[in-house]
Structure formats: structure tokens, C-alpha cells
Amino acid sequence: MTAALEPGRQQRRVLLIIGGGIAAYKVLELIRLLRKEDVNVLPVLTRAGAEFVTPLSVAALAGAKVHEDLFSLTDEVEMGHIALARAADLVLVAPATADLIARAAAGLANDLATTLLLATTAPVLMAPAMNVRMWQHPATQRNVRQLMADGVTFIGPEKGEMACGEEGPGRMTEPADLLHAVLERLNEAEFRFSSSEERPLTGRHVLITAGPTHEPIDPVRYIANRSSGRQGFALAEAARDLGARVTLVHGPVNLPCPAGVHCVAVETAEEMLRAVKDALPADVAIFAAAVADWKAKHTADAKLKKDAEKNSFTLELEKNPDILSHVGHLEKDRPKLVVGFAAETGDPVAAAREKLRRKRADLIVANDVSPQKGVMGGNFNEVILVSGKEEERWPRMMKNAVARRLMEKIAGILQDSDK
Ligand code: C5P
């Protein structure tokens, strides 16, 4: 299992902040799973969290004292709140409630949990769980964007039926997937290069496309798709961490431009193609964007009126340029490595092989985006690498772990081709 902690490493400590939501009961299972993987859990229970699970259950499963109070004299003597924040290799907030997210986004420190979130320098993961309307409220979305910009990684929420009876995004990610995310992040924290010369992509230019494109129909309507851009943004961060100069050409997304990455924001496929051409030459080009295959043949200058007499409406579409295929077929300035993605709901390998040939790519990353897999818009991905005659299946991983492993693989291929 790739996400398991590699042997021979010192035991890691996860500060687990349990917020006040019904999903708190699932965190008991998560503690058990973490302990099974030899991860030490430092549990923190908010006042609201203690309404859902008891300190005794948490302490028994964690095999550790539960911290609840910011102003506890005994705790301050044993381990002060700053020491507690520093003791962790990683902080996980689960369930992250709307209130906890809001207080963290505002930088408040009015209880032990928020104080620890301000005092820690460790990576922070949050697993939100709340009513779907609370999650979708602009205030919550604003707070989430702020925390993401501050470096917090969100896992979930997942779509589905919730305890309150409503359906939609709001369910906390299942304990097994949270375990995966934690282990991957702990392994990642180990992943450091001591100097820039050691980074395998130093001196290389990596060009990445990400997100959807919007194809206008009239001034207010457009054709789009469900791509979040997460996989492409994660690739940009991974390439940057390996030392590359990164150009990220992206469609309309809800993600901040990663620090140290050159972002070019576009709307349509035509604009994306232009931005890609402008960014060449590059050593590697990775096409992770979900480009709309079709655009309106005629874009209306004024809003199209609905005709009360008619029950149907025909919109004539024409093909968009295929950006990957364009770059794959370049004679001059073709990057050494051209990588595409194949998001399929059928047999991903057969489709990837066909795309590899037709678009003249060197490598296709195939994945199954059937709704039950939760890949589109989610944090996890399960991919198969298809190149030449080979096929490599990777287990289900977080998108940033897929990104890191893919960039390492790409760095290896480039190094081999230099020999
Ligand atoms: O043909 P399909 O859209 O499934 O191909 C997927 C791959 O091709 C992805 O890498 C995608 O970014 C790229 N692509 C592109 N321009 C298009 C359509 C797809 O670059 N117009």
C-alpha cells in the first residue's frame, strides 16, 4: 500500500481536532485506523465536539489524554498549548464544522482548537461536515477559499445523503479515505530536498493546462463542465516543488494561483490554445484541462430571447481546437514529453491508447470519472498510466499525491532521455 508509512521512520504524531458535528462519531473509527498504522494521535475535543463523543471514548481509543481546555492549569504544566501545537507532524480537523472553519479563517483564538491552528507550523488538513446549505453558503465558501489560500488542504465534503435528511455535498469523507490522506501527507512531509541542485526538475520549464473552459453562447450563457482544476493545480505545485519553472494555463476555477507558479487565466479553448502557444518552448507539457469539445458556432452579442411559441431550441456547435493534439503534432518546439489525461466513464485503457496515437502524446493518464468514483470535483483520483505498450495502475490516492508521483516519474523519464 503506497500510502502506508515507510518502515524505519520515527513515529509520527497527528493532532486531531474533533469539532462538534454528528460526523464526530466516525472519528472514533479514524483514531483506531491511525493507531493501527502506528500513528500517534494527540486528541483535542472542542466544547461542541464533546456533545457528540465523550472524552473517555476518544482517550480510550487514542491511548492518550484528551485536551479540551485552553486555560487548564494541569495541561499547561504537562504540555502547554504552544508545545502541543509544535508536537504535531500534521493537524487534522475532523469534522470541520462551519463554525470552526469560520473562526479559523478569521484567525480567532478563542478556544484551544483555534489557538492550536494559529500556533502550529505543521500542515493542516480539514475534513468538513455540515448541512449542504451551510456548506454552500457564500460565507462558508469565502472562509474555505481564505483557508486554502493560507495553505490548508480540504478533504471533502462528499456528496450523498446526510444525517439531516438532505442530499448534496456535506458528508464528511469516510475514515478510510481520511486515513489515506493523512498517511500520504505524512509521507510528503518527509519529502524535502536540501538544496535546489538536488531537485530533479531544476532548469526545466513545465507547462500545464487545468480546469474547464467556458464557451459563450451569448453574453450570459456558456457551455461548461464539472472540472474543478484540482488535479492540474496539484501538478503545478508538485512541478514547482521539484524545482521546475511552471506555467499554469487554466480556465475558470475557484482555486488560488499557487505561490511561485506563473498562472495565465483564460476562458475559452481558443484562448487556452493561444496561451499554450505563447508559453512554448517547454520541456514538458501536461494537458490536465477538461477542454470543452464544442463551442457555439455563432456567439450572440445580445442575450438570446426565449420564444414562447417554441418548445425546443437548436444550438449549432462546432469543434474546438484540440490543444494536446496540436502540441503533440508540432514539428518545431514540441516539448520532449507531451502528457495527456483521459477521463472516461467506460474502459479507460482502450480510450487512452487511442488518444495516445491520435493526439501523438507520449503518456496518457487515464482515469474513470463515473459519478460513483467521485473523481470530478473531488480530492481523490485513481489512475492508470498508459504509454507505448506499457500500463501502470496506481492505487486510489489524493490528487496531490498523484501529482507528486507523476512529476517524479516525469523527472525520471527526462533524466533518462538526457543520458
Ligand atoms: O479527447 P479528450 O477530451 O478525452 O482528451 C483528453 C486529453 O486531451 C486531455 O489531456 C485534455 O486536456 C486534452 N484536450 C485538449 N484539447 C481539447 C480536448 C482535449 O487539450 N480540445
Side-chain angles (χ1 to χ4, degrees), residues 209 287-289 291-293 321-324 340-341 344 355 358-359:
T209 68
F287 297 89
V291 184
D293 291 321
D322 190 313
I323 305 166
L324 163 58
F341 274 72
E344 303 294 330
K355 277 175 200 169
R358 180 164 48 87
K359 304 193 186 208

Side-chain angles (χ1 to χ4, degrees), residues 159-293:
K159 285 189 191 134
E161 201 186 315
M162 294 194 293
C164 57
E166 289 192 56
E167 281 225 29
R171 281 170 67 93
M172 191 175 81
T173 299
E174 291 301 318
D177 283 338
L178 286 179
L179 171 77
H180 235 74
V182 166
L183 295 179
E184 278 170 7
R185 200 56 195 257
L186 284 174
N187 284 338
E188 232 166 75
E190 287 282 301
F191 184 73
R192 296 271 183 274
F193 293 94
S194 50
S195 73
S196 62
E197 291 80 65
E198 285 178 43
R199 299 182 197 203
L201 289 177
T202 298
R204 310 275 194 184
H205 179 206
V206 176
L207 169 62
I208 297 169
T209 68
T213 62
H214 285 183
E215 309 297 334
I217 296 169
D218 66 17
V220 295
R221 303 181 179 96
Y222 56 82
I223 301 168
N225 61 63
R226 292 185 196 282
S227 166
S228 65
R230 278 197 195 128
Q231 186 62 80
F233 274 60
L235 282 163
E237 288 178 1
R240 173 205 62 197
D241 291 345
L242 294 187
R245 174 166 75 84
V246 185
T247 305
L248 176 60
V249 178
H250 65 83
V253 291
N254 226 337
L255 301 169
C257 178
V261 168
H262 175 54
C263 288
V264 183
V266 299
E267 292 237 337
T268 65
E270 294 278 0
E271 287 169 12
M272 188 172 270
L273 175 61
R274 223 172 300 136
V276 163
K277 285 182 183 168
D278 287 348
L280 290 172
D283 297 279
V284 183
I286 308 174
F287 297 89
V291 184
D293 291 321

Side-chain angles (χ1 to χ4, degrees), residues 79-115:
M79 190 193 278
H81 59 273
I82 300 294
L84 189 58
R86 298 246 167 93
D89 297 297
L90 184 124
V91 180
L92 171 66
V93 185
T97 59
D99 174 67
L100 203 41
I101 287 173
R103 287 187 292 126
L108 293 183
N110 54 359
D111 67 354
L112 181 60
T114 47
T115 304

